[in-house]
Structures are given as structure tokens and as C-alpha cells.
């Protein structure tokens, strides 16, 4: 697989990150993070290191997009340096690559602006794993180190059981009714 080489500096150490060239992400593909911009104008710039995340929310969105395009190196590099050693990279890689990332919903942000040193972002990531619709809700904590935002930790949000009706909009964001979209796969 072709990969682009990227250098990211963190804690005065050079960290190399790679972004897989995904055939599904063309120059005209909207960014997986849900912004109205194309991927190449949005999160790809952060994932490749051409731009730094200006806010905690921007880092959260870039991390979601990294899940969607399989950029595991970026996910690891954007983890708080002291937490990285505790992360099981093969498990992260398996989860990222075995899931189809469908939609990101940002629920709330607290602090985490360009002038802040810490911030929180609450979100729900919608995805398919083993053909089943799933969602991961989290209240994530971010900190800045040497001017760069990092993901430090997260607490799972309590699950709100919701039955999706066959005529409800599909939670994957396709715009189709559930019965004509993901229900046929589930």
C-alpha cells in the first residue's frame, strides 16, 4: 500500500506518521468528520501534519477522520505522550480497520479553544462492526503540549437505548430510510 510520510514533532521528539492513500477518499469526498469541506481541505491537512489542530474539537474531528481512513499512526501520535505506552496498538488497529465509520456527531465542547490549554469534547461516533450498526459515545479530555493538542483520555457516555424504526432516517447519515439502508445489512 502506498503511504505518505509525515513528520510530527511532539515533546521535542520526531514522530513519523503515515496516512494511507484511500481509494474511497477522492479529492471531492466530503470530510468524514461531518464538515462541509472536502477531506483534502479539512482533516487530511491535520492528519498529514500540514496544519496543526487549532482546537480540541478540530483534533477530535481529525482523530475520527483518521479512524475512517485507517491512519492508525496518526491516532497513536495524537495520543498524550505519557498515555501512548498504555495503548494496545494492535487492538486500536484491529478496531479501526474492521469497522466502517459512518458519521460523527459532536454533542458538546467545553473550553479547548486556540487560547486554552485543555478542553473536553463529547461526541458519538456511528459505525458498523461485523455488519451491525454501533455507536461509541465519549466525553474526551484534551490537553495542549508545546502548542499542540493531544487526546488524553475519555469516559464512555451512558447509552441511551433507542429503537430505530424502519421508517426513521438511517443513523449512518445516508439520507435514506433505515429500512432501505442499513437494516438490509443488519
Amino acid at each position: 500500500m502506498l503511504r505518505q510520510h509525515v513528520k510530527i514533532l511532539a515533546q521535542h521528539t520526531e514522530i513519523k506518521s503515515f496516512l494511507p492513500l484511500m481509494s474511497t477518499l477522492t479529492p471531492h469526498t466530503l470530510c468524514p468528520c461531518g464538515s462541509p469541506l472536502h477531506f483534502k481541505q479539512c482533516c487530511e491537512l491535520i492528519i498529514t501534519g500540514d496544519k496543526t489542530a487549532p482546537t480540541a474539537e478540530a483534533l477530535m474531528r481529525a482523530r475520527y477522520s483518521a479512524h475512517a481512513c485507517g491512519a492508525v499512526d496518526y491516532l497513536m501520535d495524537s495520543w498524550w505522550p505519557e498515555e501512548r505506552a498504555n495503548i494496545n496498538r494492535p487492538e486500536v488497529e484491529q478496531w479501526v480497520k474492521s469497522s466502517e465509520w459512518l458519521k460523527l456527531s459532536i454533542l458538546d465542547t467545553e473550553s479547548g479553544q486556540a487560547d486554552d490549554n485543555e478542553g473536553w469534547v463529547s461526541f458519538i461516533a456511528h459505525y458498523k462492526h461485523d455488519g451491525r450498526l454501533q455507536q461509541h459515545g465519549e466525553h474526551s479530555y484534551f490537553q495542549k503540549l508545546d502548542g499542540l493538542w493531544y487526546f488524553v483520555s475519555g469516559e464512555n457516555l451512558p447509552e441511551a437505548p433507542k429503537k430505530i424504526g424502519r421508517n426513521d432516517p438511517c443513523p449512518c447519515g445516508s439520507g435514506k430510510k433505515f429500512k432501505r439502508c442499513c437494516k438490509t445489512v443488519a
Side-chain angles (χ1 to χ4, degrees):
M1 177 189 301
L2 295 175
R3 295 175 172 248
Q4 293 174 319
H5 179 262
V6 180
K7 295 179 184 176
I8 298 176
L9 296 177
Q11 267 193 334
H12 310 293
T13 305
E14 185 176 333
I15 299 171
K16 297 177 181 176
S17 181
F18 297 91
L19 173 65
L21 297 175
M22 303 297 291
S23 59
T24 57
L25 295 176
T26 68
H28 303 293
T29 301
L30 291 179
C31 192
C33 81
S35 91
L37 298 174
H38 294 122
F39 178 63
K40 291 193 173 287
Q41 301 167 321
C42 191
C43 289
E44 184 180 46
L45 295 170
I46 295 171
I47 294 170
T48 60
D50 291 333
K51 176 182 171 184
T52 60
T55 64
E57 182 178 332
L59 180 64
M60 175 63 243
R61 289 179 178 279
R63 286 179 55 83
Y64 175 83
S65 292
H67 279 82
C69 73
V72 176
D73 289 331
Y74 176 76
L75 290 171
M76 299 305 295
D77 291 348
S78 61
W79 231 298
W80 186 251
E82 288 137 14
E83 293 295 323
R84 244 179 249 147
N86 302 324
I87 305 307
N88 184 325
R89 183 195 167 92
E91 283 182 11
V92 171
E93 191 163 2
Q94 173 63 27
W95 187 43
V96 165
K97 294 187 176 183
S98 66
S99 300
E100 180 185 351
W101 300 90
L102 303 171
K103 178 181 164 187
L104 175 66
S105 301
I106 301 292
L107 305 176
D108 190 30
T109 59
E110 302 169 43
S111 303
Q113 299 305 307
D115 294 333
D116 294 325
N117 288 317
E118 63 181 2
W120 295 262
V121 179
S122 297
F123 69 92
I124 297 176
H126 304 269
Y127 62 101
K128 281 186 196 174
H129 186 77
D130 292 332
R132 296 185 57 186
L133 283 175
Q134 306 282 326
Q135 51 183 11
H136 173 74
E138 188 173 292
H139 183 66
S140 298
Y141 176 59
F142 297 86
Q143 273 190 313
K144 222 189 244 184
L145 176 67
D146 296 330
L148 299 176
W149 282 104
Y150 290 91
F151 167 70
V152 179
S153 63
E155 293 180 12
N156 289 339
L157 295 176
E159 290 189 38
K162 179 186 183 285
K163 185 174 184 325
I164 303 169
R166 38 189 316 258
N167 288 320
D168 289 341
C170 191
C172 77
S174 68
K176 297 178 184 176
K177 288 183 179 182
F178 180 62
K179 68 182 178 187
R180 301 232 186 263
C181 192
C182 293
K183 185 176 196 279
T184 60
V185 178

